[in-house]
Each structure stands twice: as C-alpha cells, then as structure tokens.
Amino acid sequence: MFQKITLHELVLAIIIVFVLVLLLIIAVLFYSFYKYRVLSNRQVWTQIIENKITESIVLGQNFVENDESFDMHLREPAFRSVFLDLLVASERKFSGVAREEITHLFYKFSLEDEAWRNLIKKKAYHIAGGIQELTAMRVLRALPTFTSLLEHREKQVYLEAQYGIVSFKGAEGLSFLDNLKHPLSEWQQLRLLNSIIDIPDPQIVNITLWLRSENTSVVIFTLRLMRKFQMLSYYNEVLELLAHNDTAVKLQVVRTLEAFENNNTMEQLVSAFPEETLAVQIEILKAMKVSKSLECDAFLKKQLWEHPAVAIKIWSAEVLVSLGERQYLRDMALDENTPDEFKHIINHALQEKVC
C-alpha cells in the first residue's frame, strides 16, 4: 500500500526543491561572474605586462622605475602566473639582447619560484608548464628534476622533460633514447631535432644502439638525426635496415640512403626494389628522381612497361622525364601500338594532353 502524502509534506518538498534550484542558479551566476572577472583581469593584465616587457627590451635592464601599481599587481598569484606565461611566450619570439632582457625580468621579479611551484602541483598541465617555464628561462639547476620526470606517468609531463633536457644539453641529452619505451610522436621528433644545433663529438650519441631499438619511433628519429648531421660513416648500418619489418622505418632508410648517396646507392636500391612494398618502391623511385642517376634508365623503362601497379608506372615515367628521356616517352605516346593506358600515363608525365 502507498503511504498517503499530506499537504504539509508536499509543500515542504516543493520548498526544498525551490531552494535547491535557487542555490544552483546563484552558484552558476557566481561562477559566471568569477570567470568574467578572470577574463577581464587577464585582458587588462596582459596589456600591462606587455608594456613592461616592451619597456624592458627597448630601454634595457639599467632603466630603473618605481612602479607601485605594477608591484601591487605582483602580489596577486594570478597576475604572476599570467606574467610568467607571457614571458615564456615572448622568449620564443625574440633572440639575442631582447631575450636576455626577458630573462632579466624573470629573475628581477622572482618568477622562478612560481615556476618551481608548478612542478610540485598534481595536475599534469601545471607540471608541464613549470618545465616549459624553467627551460625557457634557462634555469640549469632544474636539470636533475627534469631527469626524474622522464618516467612520469603522464605523457604531457615526460615529453616536456625530454625537450627540456635536450634544450639544455643538446645531443648529449638524447641519452633517454637508450631505453625509451614510449613512442616519439612526429611533433616531438621535430622539436628535439630543432633544438639540437650540432654534435661536436659523435661519441656522445649512441647511434648504433638506437638503430637497433625495438621502439620504431627511436629508429626513425635516429635516421632523421643522421640526415641532419650527415653521419656518413653509418652508411652500411643504414643499408642493413632495408631488411626492417616496419614500412615507416624503411621509408626513412631510403631517404637517408638518398641523402648519403655514394656510387653504389642506386644499384643497391634497384636490387632491393622487387621485395619491397608499394610505398617503399615509390620512395625508391622518388630517390632516383632526386639522384638523376642515368644508370637507372633501363630499370625505370622496365618498371614503366612491366610493373603491375599503375602508381609505379606513373612514377617511373616521371623519373624518366627528369633523366632527360622526354623524347623517348613522346615517341612511345605517339606510337599507334602503344596501349591507351600507357599513353595516358606517359602524357601525364609529360604534362601533355592526348590529341
């Protein structure tokens, strides 16, 4: 049996629901007002801080001005956080003396403490931000902390730790690749490559170990690093990687062999060609186009007429054009015995319309 609800109980329930809805509305309004104030303050603070940064860059650190208003803003943690963010963003835009002035502001207003506090927070984006800040401001004593964060469970954190170490130590900082389990994304590889200016001593990088890594992204990054710094002495080790079972690695191997090209490269690529996947075969043909090696002429004509894949036929024709075989292809296109499919492929390579 259902228990009968009295009028008093019904009114009380309605009042409770009304109060809860009212409290929820008030909470939403307060939160919206808070977010509005944060956004409004950030816009005002950004202008104030950008003026201070510009003033410092133009007038130099010897310029002294008592700015009580600015000092008062600095007492607010939110303002200091925005200041630090804008300093890091500005550091990326400038170099030379301007960058030195930005670093001077970082130390002058004791923002290093702010960056260190981010490292001990729980959220990954705070920790990653702290790493970025200390890296941008060249705080060398942060290196041991960065090293300890290489094994952090959050991807955002250990990626920034990797970049921070390499930014400070250059190629020597790549030692974390020795036992790296996580994949290196394309973006991370580019960041690391761009942060390495030179490799003064080849012994500081463990190229042979990295080329044999089970982590294919480490192998790919190593091949890119080798191309950037023309590590020609590793040619044979690169050539052996044509037997690798990962297509992405093989593509990088072909590009590296192309960059390291010697008298035997094209012959070696021709020899490997039949056993490769379509993607790798196309990459080999691209290398031949760059090389412009006349010894590939007969091989390319064979691929044009005999290879079953249309993509290979098209690339073979285009490479033949780059080798100066335009007349040969034109004659084949005009020959009435040439099948229409080949005429279209050849004229595509010649960039001529079929009459």
Side-chain angles (χ1 to χ4, degrees), residues 191-256:
R191 291 176 76 203
L192 296 176
L193 284 171
N194 288 335
S195 66
I196 300 172
I197 300 173
D198 59 14
I199 302 180
D201 181 3
Q203 300 302 317
I204 66 174
V205 288
N206 204 341
I207 295 295
T208 299
L209 178 64
W210 300 342
L211 287 178
R212 296 172 182 170
S213 174
E214 294 182 1
N215 186 334
T216 55
S217 66
V218 170
V219 181
I220 289 171
F221 173 78
T222 306
L223 290 166
R224 286 173 167 161
L225 183 72
M226 294 168 72
R227 288 205 300 277
K228 178 175 180 177
F229 295 104
Q230 285 293 291
M231 300 181 183
L232 304 179
S233 61
Y234 291 97
Y235 181 93
N236 289 332
E237 291 185 55
V238 174
L239 183 62
E240 290 175 3
L241 283 175
L242 275 176
H244 203 281
N245 57 10
D246 188 276
T247 297
V249 170
K250 287 188 175 187
L251 294 176
Q252 294 298 327
V253 169
V254 173
R255 291 168 194 169
T256 306

Side-chain angles (χ1 to χ4, degrees), residues 64-333:
V64 178
E65 178 189 26
N66 293 323
D67 190 339
E68 294 182 4
S69 175
F70 192 82
D71 291 340
M72 187 175 297
H73 282 309
L74 279 170
R75 296 170 190 168
E76 300 182 52
F79 179 85
R80 292 174 66 82
S81 179
V82 174
F83 191 7
L84 188 52
D85 288 344
L86 290 175
L87 278 182
V88 172
S90 299
E91 188 274 342
R92 293 169 182 161
K93 298 176 184 176
F94 297 99
S95 60
V97 176
R99 181 178 289 177
E100 291 177 6
E101 296 299 337
I102 291 169
T103 304
H104 172 71
L105 287 176
F106 175 77
Y107 288 106
K108 177 181 178 180
F109 294 108
S110 303
L111 293 175
E112 182 181 348
D113 294 339
E114 201 74 31
W116 280 106
R117 273 193 289 272
N118 282 332
L119 289 184
I120 60 175
K121 292 180 179 178
K122 292 183 178 180
K123 293 187 177 179
Y125 73 90
H126 280 140
I127 302 172
I131 297 171
Q132 290 176 351
E133 292 152 5
L134 293 169
T135 300
M137 296 299 122
R138 311 303 296 171
V139 182
L140 284 170
R141 66 191 185 93
L143 261 175
T145 304
F146 291 176
T147 302
S148 69
L149 292 172
L150 286 173
E151 300 299 325
H152 198 278
R153 66 182 181 279
E154 295 290 344
K155 181 178 180 180
Q156 187 179 4
V157 174
Y158 66 69
L159 289 181
E160 286 305 326
Q162 290 171 2
Y163 180 72
I165 292 170
V166 174
S167 294
F168 282 130
K169 302 178 70 175
E172 187 178 354
L174 291 172
S175 59
F176 67 86
L177 294 176
D178 293 357
N179 301 295
L180 185 67
K181 303 301 180 186
H182 304 293
L184 281 174
S185 67
E186 289 286 315
W187 173 241
Q188 183 71 348
Q189 290 185 43
L190 290 175
R191 291 176 76 203
L192 296 176
L193 284 171
N194 288 335
S195 66
I196 300 172
I197 300 173
D198 59 14
I199 302 180
D201 181 3
Q203 300 302 317
I204 66 174
V205 288
N206 204 341
I207 295 295
T208 299
L209 178 64
W210 300 342
L211 287 178
R212 296 172 182 170
S213 174
E214 294 182 1
N215 186 334
T216 55
S217 66
V218 170
V219 181
I220 289 171
F221 173 78
T222 306
L223 290 166
R224 286 173 167 161
L225 183 72
M226 294 168 72
R227 288 205 300 277
K228 178 175 180 177
F229 295 104
Q230 285 293 291
M231 300 181 183
L232 304 179
S233 61
Y234 291 97
Y235 181 93
N236 289 332
E237 291 185 55
V238 174
L239 183 62
E240 290 175 3
L241 283 175
L242 275 176
H244 203 281
N245 57 10
D246 188 276
T247 297
V249 170
K250 287 188 175 187
L251 294 176
Q252 294 298 327
V253 169
V254 173
R255 291 168 194 169
T256 306
L257 291 173
E258 173 200 318
F260 289 1
E261 184 181 356
N262 61 34
N263 294 332
N264 300 317
T265 302
M266 289 303 120
E267 181 182 347
Q268 290 162 339
L269 290 178
V270 166
S271 177
F273 188 89
E275 306 301 322
E276 298 299 341
T277 62
L278 183 63
V280 178
Q281 288 182 337
I282 290 174
E283 198 64 37
I284 289 174
L285 292 176
K286 289 179 181 179
M288 291 178 178
K289 187 174 183 179
V290 172
S291 173
K292 290 183 167 53
S293 176
L294 295 176
E295 67 182 86
C296 301
D297 190 275
F299 166 80
L300 292 165
K301 290 175 180 176
K302 180 179 180 181
Q303 302 313 310
L304 172 62
W305 299 110
E306 299 180 10
H307 201 287
V310 174
I312 297 298
K313 294 178 185 294
I314 292 172
W315 269 102
S316 297
E318 290 184 3
V319 180
L320 282 168
V321 170
S322 72
L323 294 182
E325 290 285 7
R326 184 176 290 272
Q327 188 59 51
Y328 165 78
L329 292 171
R330 189 177 288 117
D331 290 343
M332 291 299 101

Side-chain angles (χ1 to χ4, degrees), residues 5-15:
I5 300 175
T6 65
L7 180 62
H8 174 73
E9 290 173 333
L10 181 61
V11 171
L12 184 61
I14 292 172
I15 293 173

